Amino acid sequence: MGRGGNSVATPPNPVTLPGYRLWEGDVPLLYPPHLADQAREVQHYLTQGTDVLSEVLAVGPPDATAMLVANEGWKNAPRESGRPYPPGLPYFTRSVAPPALVLPEELSPVFQPRTTATLPLAIWHELAHAFLLQREVVKTPAWLGEFLPQAAAVIVARRMGLSMSDHLNHIEDAPGLNVRGFEGRGEAGSQMLHQNLLLRFATAALEEFGEGFLERLSRALWDEDEIVDERRAEKLLAAALGPCGAEWLRSRPEF
Ligand SMILES: [Zn+2]
């Protein structure tokens, strides 16, 4: 979801929970022994995501750790704020060093639709945040900051042969919403509607322009050193999409 992007660096903490084991990998995974089977599945998605995103973004894997957190450990998971986050919502946090992808034992019921793609998309989304935040990123409109990981997740899904059309067909329509109305706040249900709109929009952009815009847009954002406002965000996206990018954006009702 939309946390972690604007966090301020805080002193390093040991990023583990009592009794957790470590699964080595490009992105190592901490998990409680009783969730070993689930950890295997998560590790599999992390490996797929790391391989694809390293190639697509032409950067190495992020220095980050993933944690599969058991329900009873959720309140002790690393995070920016003093209060535990709502259960079941994965997030990326730079409150620890190295930063952590925090993944719940069970995804919150707010995650809709439920298809074979739901869990891997959620993991690839958070992994993409870790990739993108390897370098400092200036503040951007929330929709742009969430569009990138949604597009990245769709790229991994497509390459892994997961059916995006099946997943997208199950998305509830949200009349009146548009991509740029997403502010990254508000209750989880409305955030999910926006995330799904972004997922649809990202899939359409990939079908129209191919995968190259993800790297172009990421590099453009890494190169920015002033806050990216709404106008600049649109301009960067249009340019990254390629020739006719601006016209295409204007033609999209959800944009
Ligand atoms: Zn996010």
Side-chain angles (χ1 to χ4, degrees):
M1 303 293 271
R3 291 181 208 282
N6 303 321
S7 68
V8 180
T10 49
N13 294 312
V15 58
T16 192
L17 290 172
Y20 275 43
R21 291 185 186 157
L22 181 69
W23 198 312
E24 296 285 355
D26 281 334
V27 174
L29 175 67
L30 288 152
Y31 66 98
H34 73 282
L35 296 182
D37 288 346
Q38 206 174 327
R40 182 187 314 276
E41 187 186 1
V42 169
Q43 182 59 36
H44 177 66
Y45 296 139
L46 288 170
T47 303
Q48 290 180 329
T50 304
D51 289 350
V52 171
L53 294 180
S54 298
E55 189 189 322
V56 172
L57 293 170
V59 288
D63 180 20
T65 303
M67 297 181 86
L68 175 62
V69 179
N71 293 336
E72 60 274 20
W74 190 251
K75 61 184 186 306
N76 299 319
R79 58 181 182 261
E80 269 80 23
S81 77
R83 277 189 180 194
Y85 293 155
L89 304 181
Y91 58 95
F92 175 70
T93 176
R94 293 197 284 180
S95 63
V96 285
L101 275 82
V102 180
L103 308 168
E105 173 179 348
E106 282 171 274
L107 280 183
S108 157
V110 89
F111 270 79
Q112 294 294 334
R114 292 300 176 120
T115 70
T116 48
T118 309
L119 176 66
L121 285 172
I123 292 174
W124 296 329
H125 176 106
E126 299 307 328
L127 183 63
H129 274 306
F131 265 88
L132 295 164
L133 291 169
Q134 289 189 72
R135 302 188 190 166
E136 280 311 310
V137 180
V138 294
K139 199 167 172 4
T140 70
W143 66 264
L144 186 65
E146 293 302 308
F147 169 75
L148 279 155
Q150 288 298 58
V154 176
I155 289 174
V156 185
R158 282 158 48 119
R159 289 206 183 188
M160 293 305 138
L162 277 181
S163 168
M164 280 311 297
S165 56
D166 180 55
H167 187 81
L168 295 175
N169 285 339
H170 285 88
I171 286 178
E172 187 190 336
D173 275 327
L177 279 195
N178 69 62
V179 162
R180 290 177 294 172
F182 182 41
E183 290 176 341
R185 293 190 294 272
E187 50 101 22
S190 86
Q191 285 210 37
M192 186 83 306
L193 290 176
H194 266 115
Q195 291 284 6
N196 280 335
L197 196 63
L198 283 166
L199 198 69
R200 238 184 208 159
F201 176 62
T203 306
L206 286 162
E207 277 163 9
E208 183 74 19
F209 297 98
E211 295 176 348
F213 75 78
L214 189 74
E215 189 200 355
R216 290 193 292 274
L217 186 54
S218 304
R219 290 194 183 275
L221 282 176
W222 286 330
D223 286 345
E224 289 288 307
D225 40 32
E226 307 235 343
I227 289 178
V228 171
D229 64 12
E230 195 62 40
R231 273 174 69 133
R232 181 85 184 136
E234 275 184 58
K235 216 171 157 180
L236 289 173
L237 175 57
L241 290 174
C244 306
E247 280 166 289
W248 183 80
L249 287 177
R250 274 197 296 277
S251 77
R252 299 298 304 185
E254 74 275 41
F255 189 74

